[in-house]
Each structure stands twice: as structure tokens, then as C-alpha cells.
Amino acid sequence: MPTLWKGPMMDEAAAIAANRANWDDRAEVHRRSRMYDVDAFVADTGRISPVVRNDLAVLTAHLPESGVRDRSLLHLQCHIGIDTLSWARLGAVDVHGLDFSPNSLSHAARIAQAAGHEITFVEGDARFASAVLDRRFDLVVTSAGTIVWLPELEDWARSIHDLLEPGGVFLIRDDHPILGSMEFEPWEINDDYLGGGGHRTYIESGSYTEDSAGQITHDTVSEWRHGLGEVAGALLRAGLRIEAVEELPTMDWPAFPDLVPCPQGWTLPPEAPRIPLNFAVVATRPA
């Protein structure tokens, strides 16, 4: 279990720098992990990550019959690029991935090259992606553990608006924010659901991949709470149009012990209370 920070709260810049160092470490751990299974993923040219399959299940209703094929795509917070490569394999063109971790991007570039795909990887903060990418995309996507690493969403949403072509589509699918406010042994609310209370800083030397405890040197990380209303509100205020909001009973990783495997990844057993594990929002930039 992570150890909550007991000292003074870091300022925003220091917290982001600590997170970047942590994700640089995680990139090494994840590249070697069985969960990412990078070498097998590269070798199997038809393989699509489970995360992107779940993203596509939400996104398909908002795409033409050809799906993402021949549509330009930006993947925000792309980490080591397995999901970015999956979008390219599905036929997206002029694919870009953006992340704040230079070590993650180095791995992503090597993985894409080994897989024979030309993908552009760019270092930057997802809140200000439009400042480092002077162009527009048909699709912008982000998913699976992303917005908790962002201090605020207003700049993020405006950047997404500016990066989309008129008529372009944005998808976020992420862990439901209610999970961050809960303990599961016993089940109880013990932390903020709503944003605005500052960040939660903790120490954890492992990651979400198998056998990773003790492998992270830069082990102090901060997260920021963003409720579902905050996500939708920021996108609306940025000038985007909300096309769909979903709360989903599955998620991409076993975030807590009660979860059981299912075709989409993980879910609660039938006897458990039904609570959302993921959420998804699809938005468009008006033509």
C-alpha cells in the first residue's frame, strides 16, 4: 500500500517534476514487464492493446463506418506508446503521441520503430499540448490513468479544443474518480471525490505491473482529484460539444483486490455492489 505524505505539501512545479521522475523510472519497469509484453506485442503485427479495444468500443458509435482508418490522431499521455502503436495498427494516419516523460518517449520511439510504424512522439505537458503541436487532428484520445496527473483541466480542455479539426472527435476513458476516494477493506469513503482540495502526495516504490515493488527509485508522486462534472464542465467551457457520457462497470487493471477478470479487463464479482469503475466522455469540436 502507498504511504501518504506526512510532510508539507509540495508546490505544483515540484510535484510535477517528482511525477516526471517517477514515470521515467516506471518506463524502465513497464518495458520489462509481462503485463506490457513488449517484444511479443511488437512481433504480432495484428495485436491491439486491451486499452485501445475498450476505447474503440466507446468511440465507434461516433466514427464513420471506416472507424479510425485514414484519420489523423493524437494520443495524449501516451507513456511507452503501446496504445499509440495500436491506433496506428487500426489504420490511423499521421499518428502523434505526447507525454511529459522523456524516458517513456524514448521507449515509445524504439517500440514503434521495431514494429515498423512511423509515429511522431513529442515531449510536453498534456495541459499545454497545443503550445508544442502547431497543427490539428481528426481525433484526440486519452485513457487509462491520465487526468489524476494533471493539476487542473481548464488549460487541458482548451488545448484539446485547439488541437481538434472542426468536426473532430475527442475521447477520454479513464478510471472513475469515485475510486480515488474509497478504501476497500472495509469499503468506505475516506478521501475527496471532488477536486479543489489540493493534491494527494504519497510514497510508493512499485507500479501497477507485476513484481514491481521496490523497483521505483523516484517514489514520491502526487495526484489531483477531478470529478466527472469537472471533466465535462471543462470541455464545455472550452467550446466543445459533449456527445456522450458513460459510466462503465469494467476497468483496465486490477485496482483493488475484489476485482475479477472479464473480457474487458476487470470487474466486480456479481454479488458486489454495482459502482462505476471507468467513465468515458466523447466530445466534438463544432464544425
Side-chain angles (χ1 to χ4, degrees), residues 44-279:
D44 184 353
T45 59
R47 188 166 169 182
I48 306 300
S49 73
V51 169
V52 170
R53 289 194 185 280
N54 290 338
D55 290 345
L56 196 59
V58 175
L59 193 55
T60 295
H62 306 277
L63 297 174
E65 190 174 338
S66 58
V68 302
R69 185 165 299 281
D70 298 325
R71 293 167 71 81
S72 59
L73 182 142
L74 169 62
H75 179 201
L76 295 175
Q77 295 174 265
C78 66
H79 191 36
I80 62 172
I82 293 293
D83 299 332
T84 324
L85 175 57
S86 296
W87 290 114
R89 284 176 169 175
L90 287 167
V93 297
D94 198 11
V95 176
H96 285 55
L98 179 138
D99 201 272
F100 77 154
S101 159
N103 198 35
S104 294
L105 293 172
S106 294
H107 282 291
R110 287 193 291 270
I111 289 167
Q113 183 177 31
H117 278 269
E118 194 171 313
I119 297 173
T120 302
F121 291 102
V122 179
E123 184 178 341
D125 186 323
R127 293 174 297 163
F128 312 113
S130 60
V132 295
L133 286 164
D134 186 19
R135 54 153 304 162
R136 292 175 179 172
F137 297 87
D138 299 317
L139 300 168
V140 177
V141 296
T142 190
S143 69
T146 56
I147 57 171
V148 295
W149 306 106
L150 304 179
E152 53 82 25
L153 299 185
E154 297 296 324
D155 289 315
W156 170 81
R158 283 193 294 268
S159 185
I160 290 164
H161 172 276
D162 293 345
L163 286 161
L164 281 172
E165 293 281 6
V169 180
F170 169 68
L171 166 72
I172 177 171
R173 187 184 59 81
D174 209 341
D175 300 339
H176 199 286
I178 192 65
L179 300 181
S181 66
M182 296 179 70
E183 285 289 350
F184 303 98
E185 297 176 324
W187 282 52
E188 62 181 13
I189 301 292
N190 74 336
D191 206 341
D192 289 347
Y193 168 85
L194 298 175
H199 59 266
R200 173 180 181 263
T201 301
Y202 59 93
I203 297 171
E204 187 170 25
S205 65
S207 186
Y208 51 81
T209 53
E210 78 286 339
D211 304 326
S212 62
Q215 294 190 39
I216 305 296
T217 302
H218 299 91
D219 57 3
T220 300
V221 291
S222 294
E223 298 178 359
W224 289 266
R225 296 281 183 252
H226 304 295
L228 187 53
E230 182 185 351
V231 175
L235 295 170
L236 287 168
R237 286 188 292 275
L240 296 170
R241 183 170 60 214
I242 302 293
E243 304 290 348
V245 178
E246 297 187 34
E247 294 181 296
L248 305 164
T250 59
M251 64 188 310
D252 304 284
W253 62 294
F256 53 94
D258 288 355
L259 296 181
V260 297
C262 71
Q264 293 77 30
W266 301 84
T267 191
L268 285 161
E271 66 274 14
R274 286 178 55 78
I275 64 169
L277 302 180
N278 261 201
F279 77 93

